[in-house]
Coordinates of all heavy atoms in Angstrom, one line a residue:
M1253 N -21.6 212.7 -215.8 CA -22.1 212.0 -216.9 C -22.4 213.1 -218.0 O -23.1 214.1 -217.8 CB -23.3 211.3 -216.4 CG -24.1 210.8 -217.7 SD -25.6 210.3 -216.9 CE -26.4 209.3 -218.1
S1254 N -21.9 212.8 -219.1 CA -22.3 213.7 -220.2 C -22.3 212.7 -221.4 O -21.5 211.9 -221.6 CB -21.2 214.8 -220.2 OG -20.6 215.1 -221.4
G1255 N -23.1 213.1 -222.4 CA -23.2 212.2 -223.6 C -24.1 212.7 -224.6 O -24.7 213.8 -224.5
W1256 N -24.4 212.0 -225.7 CA -25.2 212.4 -226.7 C -26.5 211.8 -226.5 O -26.7 210.6 -226.1 CB -24.6 211.9 -228.1 CG -25.3 212.2 -229.2 CD1 -25.4 213.2 -229.9 CD2 -26.3 211.2 -229.8 NE1 -26.2 213.2 -231.0 CE2 -26.9 212.0 -231.0 CE3 -26.6 209.9 -229.7 CZ2 -27.8 211.3 -231.9 CZ3 -27.6 209.3 -230.4 CH2 -28.1 210.0 -231.6
A1257 N -27.6 212.6 -226.9 CA -28.9 212.2 -226.8 C -29.5 212.1 -228.1 O -29.1 213.0 -229.1 CB -29.7 213.1 -226.0
P1258 N -30.3 211.1 -228.6 CA -30.8 211.0 -229.9 C -31.5 212.3 -230.6 O -31.5 212.3 -231.8 CB -31.8 209.8 -229.9 CG -31.7 209.4 -228.6 CD -31.0 210.3 -227.6
N1259 N -32.0 213.1 -229.8 CA -32.7 214.2 -230.5 C -31.8 215.4 -230.8 O -32.2 216.6 -231.0 CB -33.8 214.9 -229.5 CG -33.4 215.2 -228.2 OD1 -32.1 215.2 -227.9 ND2 -34.2 215.7 -227.3
G1260 N -30.4 215.2 -230.8 CA -29.5 216.3 -231.2 C -29.1 217.1 -229.9 O -28.5 218.2 -230.1
S1261 N -29.5 216.7 -228.7 CA -29.1 217.5 -227.5 C -28.0 216.7 -226.8 O -27.7 215.6 -227.1 CB -30.4 217.5 -226.5 OG -31.4 218.3 -227.2
L1262 N -27.3 217.6 -225.9 CA -26.3 216.9 -225.1 C -26.9 216.8 -223.7 O -27.5 217.8 -223.2 CB -25.0 217.8 -225.1 CG -24.3 217.9 -226.4 CD1 -23.2 218.9 -226.3 CD2 -23.7 216.6 -226.7
A1263 N -26.6 215.7 -223.0 CA -27.0 215.5 -221.6 C -25.7 215.7 -220.8 O -24.7 215.1 -220.9 CB -27.6 214.1 -221.4
A1264 N -25.9 216.5 -219.7 CA -24.8 216.8 -218.8 C -25.3 216.7 -217.4 O -26.4 217.0 -217.1 CB -24.2 218.2 -219.0
S1265 N -24.4 216.2 -216.5 CA -24.7 216.1 -215.2 C -24.2 217.4 -214.4 O -23.1 217.8 -214.6 CB -23.9 214.9 -214.5 OG -24.1 214.8 -213.2
V1266 N -25.1 218.0 -213.8 CA -24.8 219.4 -213.1 C -25.2 219.4 -211.7 O -26.2 218.7 -211.4 CB -25.5 220.6 -213.9 CG1 -24.9 220.7 -215.3 CG2 -27.0 220.4 -214.0
E1267 N -24.4 220.2 -210.8 CA -24.9 220.4 -209.5 C -25.9 221.5 -209.4 O -25.7 222.6 -210.1 CB -23.7 220.7 -208.6 CG -22.7 219.6 -208.4 CD -23.3 218.5 -207.6 OE1 -24.0 218.8 -206.8 OE2 -22.9 217.3 -208.0
I1268 N -27.0 221.3 -208.9 CA -28.0 222.4 -208.8 C -28.4 222.8 -207.4 O -28.3 221.9 -206.5 CB -29.3 222.0 -209.5 CG1 -30.0 220.8 -209.0 CG2 -29.1 221.9 -211.1 CD1 -31.4 220.5 -209.4
T1269 N -28.7 224.0 -207.2 CA -29.3 224.5 -205.9 C -30.7 225.2 -206.2 O -31.0 225.2 -207.3 CB -28.3 225.5 -205.3 OG1 -28.3 226.7 -206.2 CG2 -26.9 225.0 -205.1
S1270 N -31.3 225.8 -205.2 CA -32.5 226.4 -205.5 C -32.4 227.6 -206.4 O -33.3 228.0 -206.9 CB -33.2 226.8 -204.1 OG -32.4 227.7 -203.4
I1271 N -31.2 228.1 -206.5 CA -31.0 229.3 -207.3 C -30.8 228.8 -208.8 O -31.3 229.5 -209.7 CB -29.7 230.1 -207.0 CG1 -29.9 230.7 -205.5 CG2 -29.3 231.1 -207.9 CD1 -28.7 231.2 -205.0
S1272 N -30.2 227.7 -209.0 CA -29.9 227.3 -210.4 C -30.8 226.3 -211.0 O -30.6 225.9 -212.3 CB -28.4 226.9 -210.5 OG -28.2 225.6 -209.6
V1273 N -31.7 225.7 -210.3 CA -32.6 224.7 -210.9 C -33.5 225.3 -211.9 O -33.9 226.5 -211.9 CB -33.4 224.0 -209.7 CG1 -34.5 225.1 -209.1 CG2 -34.3 222.8 -210.3
Q1274 N -33.7 224.5 -213.0 CA -34.5 224.9 -214.1 C -35.6 223.9 -214.5 O -35.5 222.7 -214.1 CB -33.6 225.1 -215.4 CG -32.5 226.1 -215.2 CD -31.6 226.2 -216.4 OE1 -31.8 225.5 -217.4 NE2 -30.6 227.0 -216.4
R1275 N -36.5 224.4 -215.2 CA -37.6 223.5 -215.9 C -36.8 222.5 -216.8 O -36.0 222.9 -217.5 CB -38.6 224.2 -216.6 CG -39.6 224.9 -215.7 CD -40.6 225.6 -216.5 NE -41.6 226.5 -215.7 CZ -41.3 227.7 -215.3 NH1 -40.2 228.3 -215.6 NH2 -42.1 228.4 -214.5
G1276 N -37.2 221.2 -216.7 CA -36.6 220.2 -217.6 C -35.5 219.6 -217.0 O -35.1 218.4 -217.5
D1277 N -34.9 219.9 -215.8 CA -33.9 219.3 -215.2 C -34.5 217.9 -214.6 O -35.6 217.9 -214.2 CB -33.3 220.0 -213.9 CG -32.4 221.2 -214.2 OD1 -32.0 221.3 -215.4 OD2 -32.1 222.0 -213.3
V1278 N -33.6 216.9 -214.7 CA -34.0 215.6 -214.2 C -33.3 215.2 -212.9 O -32.1 215.2 -213.0 CB -33.8 214.5 -215.2 CG1 -34.3 213.1 -214.7 CG2 -34.5 214.8 -216.6
I1279 N -34.1 215.1 -211.8 CA -33.4 214.9 -210.5 C -33.8 213.4 -210.1 O -35.0 213.1 -210.2 CB -33.9 215.7 -209.4 CG1 -33.6 217.2 -209.9 CG2 -33.2 215.5 -208.1 CD1 -34.2 218.3 -209.1
E1280 N -32.8 212.6 -209.6 CA -33.2 211.4 -209.2 C -33.5 211.4 -207.7 O -32.9 211.8 -206.8 CB -32.1 210.3 -209.4 CG -32.4 208.9 -209.0 CD -31.3 208.1 -209.5 OE1 -30.7 208.2 -210.5 OE2 -31.0 207.0 -208.6
I1281 N -34.8 211.1 -207.3 CA -35.3 211.0 -206.0 C -35.8 209.6 -205.7 O -36.7 209.0 -206.4 CB -36.4 212.0 -205.9 CG1 -36.0 213.4 -206.2 CG2 -37.0 211.9 -204.5 CD1 -37.0 214.4 -206.2
G1282 N -35.3 208.9 -204.8 CA -35.6 207.6 -204.2 C -35.4 206.6 -205.4 O -36.2 205.6 -205.5
G1283 N -34.4 206.8 -206.2 CA -34.0 205.8 -207.3 C -34.9 206.2 -208.6 O -34.7 205.5 -209.5
Q1284 N -35.9 207.0 -208.5 CA -36.7 207.4 -209.7 C -36.3 208.7 -210.3 O -36.1 209.7 -209.6 CB -38.1 207.5 -209.3 CG -38.7 206.2 -208.7 CD -39.0 205.3 -209.8 OE1 -38.4 205.2 -210.9 NE2 -39.9 204.4 -209.6
P1285 N -36.0 208.8 -211.6 CA -35.7 210.0 -212.3 C -37.0 210.9 -212.4 O -38.1 210.4 -212.8 CB -35.3 209.6 -213.6 CG -35.9 208.3 -213.9 CD -36.0 207.5 -212.6
C1286 N -37.0 212.2 -211.9 CA -38.2 213.0 -211.9 C -37.7 214.3 -212.7 O -36.8 215.0 -212.3 CB -38.5 213.4 -210.5 SG -39.0 211.9 -209.5
R1287 N -38.5 214.7 -213.8 CA -38.3 215.8 -214.5 C -39.0 217.0 -213.8 O -40.3 216.9 -213.8 CB -38.6 215.5 -216.0 CG -38.3 216.8 -216.9 CD -38.7 216.5 -218.3 NE -38.1 215.3 -218.9 CZ -37.0 215.2 -219.3 NH1 -36.2 216.2 -219.5 NH2 -36.5 213.9 -219.8
V1288 N -38.4 218.1 -213.7 CA -39.1 219.3 -213.3 C -39.9 219.9 -214.2 O -39.5 220.3 -215.4 CB -38.0 220.3 -212.8 CG1 -38.7 221.8 -212.3 CG2 -37.1 219.8 -211.8
A1289 N -41.2 220.0 -214.0 CA -42.2 220.5 -215.0 C -42.5 222.0 -214.7 O -42.8 222.8 -215.6 CB -43.6 219.8 -214.9
D1290 N -42.4 222.4 -213.4 CA -42.7 223.8 -213.1 C -42.1 224.0 -211.7 O -41.8 223.0 -211.0 CB -44.3 223.9 -212.9 CG -44.7 225.5 -213.1 OD1 -43.8 226.4 -213.4 OD2 -45.8 225.8 -212.8
L1291 N -41.9 225.3 -211.4 CA -41.3 225.7 -210.1 C -41.8 227.0 -209.6 O -42.2 227.8 -210.5 CB -39.8 225.7 -210.1 CG -39.1 226.3 -211.3 CD1 -38.7 227.7 -211.2 CD2 -37.7 225.5 -211.6
V1292 N -41.9 227.2 -208.4 CA -42.4 228.4 -207.8 C -41.4 228.8 -206.7 O -41.1 228.1 -205.9 CB -43.8 228.1 -207.1 CG1 -44.3 229.3 -206.4 CG2 -44.9 227.6 -208.0
Q1293 N -41.0 230.2 -206.9 CA -40.2 230.8 -205.9 C -41.0 231.1 -204.5 O -42.1 231.5 -204.4 CB -39.8 232.2 -206.4 CG -38.8 232.9 -205.5 CD -37.5 232.3 -205.4 OE1 -36.9 232.0 -206.4 NE2 -36.9 232.0 -204.2
L1294 N -40.3 230.6 -203.4 CA -40.9 230.8 -202.1 C -40.0 231.7 -201.3 O -39.1 232.3 -201.9 CB -40.8 229.4 -201.4 CG -41.7 228.3 -202.1 CD1 -41.4 227.0 -201.3 CD2 -43.1 228.6 -202.2
T1295 N -40.4 232.0 -200.1 CA -39.6 232.9 -199.2 C -38.3 232.5 -198.9 O -38.0 231.2 -198.9 CB -40.4 233.3 -197.9 OG1 -40.6 232.0 -197.3 CG2 -41.8 234.0 -198.4
A1296 N -37.4 233.3 -198.6 CA -36.0 233.0 -198.1 C -35.2 232.1 -199.1 O -34.4 231.4 -198.7 CB -36.1 232.3 -196.7
G1297 N -35.5 232.3 -200.4 CA -34.7 231.6 -201.4 C -35.1 230.2 -201.7 O -34.4 229.5 -202.4
A1298 N -36.1 229.6 -201.1 CA -36.5 228.2 -201.3 C -37.3 228.2 -202.7 O -37.9 229.2 -203.1 CB -37.4 227.8 -200.1
K1299 N -37.5 227.0 -203.2 CA -38.3 226.9 -204.4 C -39.1 225.6 -204.2 O -38.6 224.5 -203.7 CB -37.5 226.7 -205.7 CG -37.0 228.1 -206.1 CD -36.5 228.1 -207.6 CE -35.9 229.5 -207.8 NZ -35.0 229.4 -209.0
R1300 N -40.3 225.6 -204.7 CA -41.2 224.4 -204.7 C -41.1 223.9 -206.2 O -41.4 224.5 -207.1 CB -42.6 224.7 -204.3 CG -43.4 223.5 -204.4 CD -44.5 223.4 -203.4 NE -44.1 223.6 -201.9 CZ -44.4 224.5 -201.1 NH1 -45.6 225.2 -201.3 NH2 -44.1 224.6 -199.9
L1301 N -40.7 222.5 -206.3 CA -40.5 222.0 -207.6 C -41.8 221.0 -207.9 O -42.1 220.3 -207.0 CB -39.3 221.1 -207.6 CG -38.0 221.9 -207.3 CD1 -36.8 220.9 -207.4 CD2 -37.8 223.0 -208.1
F1302 N -42.3 221.1 -209.0 CA -43.4 220.2 -209.4 C -42.9 219.4 -210.6 O -42.4 219.9 -211.6 CB -44.7 221.1 -210.0 CG -45.2 222.0 -208.8 CD1 -44.7 223.2 -208.6 CD2 -46.2 221.5 -208.0 CE1 -45.3 224.1 -207.7 CE2 -46.7 222.3 -207.0 CZ -46.3 223.6 -206.8
F1303 N -43.0 218.1 -210.4 CA -42.5 217.1 -211.3 C -43.5 216.5 -212.3 O -44.8 216.7 -211.9 CB -41.9 215.9 -210.7 CG -40.7 216.3 -209.7 CD1 -40.8 216.4 -208.4 CD2 -39.4 216.6 -210.4 CE1 -39.7 216.8 -207.5 CE2 -38.3 217.1 -209.7 CZ -38.5 217.1 -208.2
E1304 N -43.2 216.1 -213.4 CA -44.1 215.7 -214.5 C -44.9 214.5 -213.8 O -46.1 214.3 -214.2 CB -43.4 215.2 -215.7 CG -42.8 216.2 -216.5 CD -42.1 215.8 -217.7 OE1 -41.8 214.6 -217.8 OE2 -41.7 216.7 -218.5
S1305 N -44.4 213.7 -212.9 CA -45.0 212.6 -212.4 C -46.0 212.9 -211.4 O -46.7 212.1 -210.8 CB -44.0 211.6 -211.8 OG -43.3 212.3 -210.9
G1306 N -46.2 214.2 -211.0 CA -47.1 214.7 -210.0 C -46.5 215.0 -208.5 O -47.1 215.5 -207.7
E1307 N -45.3 214.4 -208.3 CA -44.6 214.7 -207.0 C -44.3 216.1 -206.9 O -44.1 216.9 -207.9 CB -43.3 213.8 -206.9 CG -43.6 212.4 -206.6 CD -43.7 211.5 -207.8 OE1 -43.7 212.1 -208.9 OE2 -43.9 210.3 -207.6
V1308 N -44.1 216.6 -205.6 CA -43.7 217.9 -205.4 C -42.7 217.9 -204.3 O -42.6 217.1 -203.3 CB -44.9 218.8 -204.7 CG1 -44.6 220.2 -204.3 CG2 -46.1 218.7 -205.7
L1309 N -41.6 218.8 -204.5 CA -40.5 218.8 -203.7 C -40.1 220.4 -203.3 O -40.2 221.2 -204.3 CB -39.3 218.2 -204.3 CG -38.0 218.3 -203.5 CD1 -37.9 217.3 -202.3 CD2 -36.7 218.0 -204.4
T1310 N -40.0 220.6 -202.0 CA -39.5 221.9 -201.6 C -38.0 221.9 -201.5 O -37.5 221.1 -200.7 CB -40.2 222.4 -200.3 OG1 -41.6 222.3 -200.5 CG2 -39.8 223.7 -199.9
M1311 N -37.2 222.7 -202.2 CA -35.9 222.8 -202.3 C -35.4 224.0 -201.5 O -35.7 225.2 -201.8 CB -35.4 222.9 -203.8 CG -33.9 222.7 -203.9 SD -33.7 222.3 -205.6 CE -31.9 222.1 -205.6
H1312 N -34.9 223.9 -200.2 CA -34.4 224.9 -199.4 C -33.1 225.5 -200.0 O -32.4 224.8 -200.7 CB -34.2 224.3 -198.0 CG -35.5 223.9 -197.4 ND1 -36.5 224.8 -197.0 CD2 -36.0 222.7 -197.4 CE1 -37.5 224.1 -196.5 NE2 -37.2 222.8 -196.8
P1313 N -32.8 226.7 -199.6 CA -31.5 227.3 -200.1 C -30.3 226.5 -199.9 O -29.3 226.6 -200.6 CB -31.5 228.7 -199.3 CG -33.0 228.9 -198.9 CD -33.6 227.6 -198.6
Q1314 N -30.2 225.7 -198.8 CA -29.0 224.9 -198.5 C -29.0 223.6 -199.3 O -28.1 222.9 -199.3 CB -28.9 224.5 -197.0 CG -28.8 225.8 -196.1 CD -30.3 226.3 -195.7 OE1 -31.3 225.8 -196.1 NE2 -30.3 227.4 -195.1
S1315 N -30.2 223.3 -199.9 CA -30.2 222.0 -200.7 C -29.3 222.0 -201.9 O -29.2 223.0 -202.6 CB -31.7 221.7 -201.1 OG -32.5 221.7 -200.1
Q1316 N -28.7 220.8 -202.2 CA -27.8 220.7 -203.3 C -28.1 219.3 -204.0 O -28.0 218.3 -203.2 CB -26.4 220.9 -203.0 CG -25.5 221.0 -204.2 CD -24.1 221.4 -203.9 OE1 -23.8 221.6 -202.8 NE2 -23.4 221.5 -205.0
F1317 N -28.4 219.2 -205.2 CA -28.7 217.9 -205.9 C -27.8 217.9 -207.1 O -27.4 218.8 -207.6 CB -30.0 217.8 -206.3 CG -31.0 217.8 -205.2 CD1 -31.9 218.8 -204.9 CD2 -31.2 216.5 -204.4 CE1 -32.7 218.9 -203.7 CE2 -32.2 216.5 -203.3 CZ -32.9 217.6 -203.0
T1318 N -27.6 216.6 -207.7 CA -27.0 216.4 -208.9 C -28.2 216.2 -209.9 O -29.1 215.4 -209.6 CB -26.0 215.2 -209.0 OG1 -25.1 215.5 -208.1 CG2 -25.6 215.0 -210.3
A1319 N -28.3 216.9 -211.0 CA -29.3 216.7 -212.0 C -28.8 216.5 -213.5 O -27.6 216.7 -213.6 CB -30.3 217.9 -212.0
I1320 N -29.6 215.8 -214.3 CA -29.3 215.8 -215.7 C -30.0 216.9 -216.4 O -31.1 217.1 -216.2 CB -29.8 214.4 -216.2 CG1 -29.3 213.2 -215.5 CG2 -29.4 214.2 -217.7 CD1 -27.6 213.1 -215.5
R1321 N -29.2 217.6 -217.2 CA -29.7 218.8 -217.9 C -29.4 218.6 -219.4 O -28.3 218.2 -219.8 CB -29.1 220.1 -217.4 CG -29.7 221.3 -218.1 CD -29.2 222.6 -217.4 NE -29.8 222.7 -216.0 CZ -29.3 223.5 -215.1 NH1 -28.3 224.2 -215.3 NH2 -30.0 223.6 -214.0
M1322 N -30.5 218.8 -220.2 CA -30.4 218.6 -221.7 C -30.0 220.0 -222.2 O -30.6 221.0 -221.8 CB -31.7 218.2 -222.2 CG -32.2 216.8 -221.8 SD -30.9 215.5 -222.0 CE -31.1 215.2 -223.6
M1323 N -28.9 220.0 -223.0 CA -28.4 221.3 -223.6 C -28.5 221.0 -225.2 O -28.0 220.1 -225.7 CB -27.1 221.6 -223.1 CG -27.0 222.0 -221.7 SD -25.4 222.2 -221.2 CE -25.1 220.8 -220.0
K1324 N -29.2 222.0 -225.8 CA -29.3 221.9 -227.3 C -27.9 222.1 -227.9 O -27.1 223.0 -227.4 CB -30.3 223.0 -227.8 CG -31.6 222.6 -227.5 CD -32.6 223.3 -228.4 CE -34.0 223.1 -227.9 NZ -34.8 222.3 -228.9
K1325 N -27.7 221.4 -228.8 CA -26.3 221.4 -229.6 C -26.6 222.6 -230.7 O -27.6 222.4 -231.5 CB -26.2 220.1 -230.3 CG -24.8 219.9 -230.6 CD -24.6 218.4 -230.9 CE -23.7 218.3 -232.1 NZ -23.6 217.0 -232.6
W1326 N -25.8 223.6 -230.7 CA -25.9 224.6 -231.8 C -25.0 224.3 -232.8 O -24.0 224.5 -233.1 CB -25.8 226.0 -231.2 CG -26.8 226.2 -230.1 CD1 -26.7 226.2 -228.7 CD2 -28.1 226.6 -230.2 NE1 -27.7 226.3 -228.0 CE2 -28.7 226.6 -228.9 CE3 -29.0 226.7 -231.3 CZ2 -30.1 226.9 -228.6 CZ3 -30.3 226.9 -231.1 CH2 -30.9 227.0 -229.8

């Protein structure tokens, strides 16, 4: 999925892992879109994701998700 967003940004669907996840990524969990507000590096390549809604998810190095990422249009 890729398209235009009203704020002048482009939205793209990307595959993410614990290495490539970024603040602002939107991951659908249980049918709910959750935006990553903060993340913390854990041991062995894992990351703990903190979402704007208050949920927390530990992403192991083998985890892979599809996320929506906003990219600014230059």
Side-chain angles (χ1 to χ4, degrees):
M1253 168 192 193
S1254 130
W1256 177 81
N1259 63 0
S1261 298
L1262 293 174
S1265 179
V1266 295
E1267 293 292 322
I1268 61 167
T1269 64
S1270 63
I1271 295 170
S1272 63
V1273 65
Q1274 299 176 3
R1275 286 179 184 87
D1277 284 349
V1278 178
I1279 303 168
E1280 189 172 314
I1281 300 174
Q1284 297 282 25
C1286 299
R1287 184 180 309 272
V1288 179
D1290 200 9
L1291 42 91
V1292 175
Q1293 181 70 50
L1294 302 174
T1295 59
K1299 284 195 181 156
R1300 180 149 303 135
L1301 310 180
F1302 298 91
F1303 297 104
E1304 289 178 349
S1305 56
E1307 284 91 356
V1308 178
L1309 174 76
T1310 301
M1311 196 169 180
H1312 297 279
Q1314 302 86 0
S1315 300
Q1316 186 171 5
F1317 296 104
T1318 300
I1320 303 298
R1321 183 171 287 165
M1322 301 303 285
M1323 294 178 247
K1324 290 200 184 244
K1325 208 171 137 181
W1326 300 103

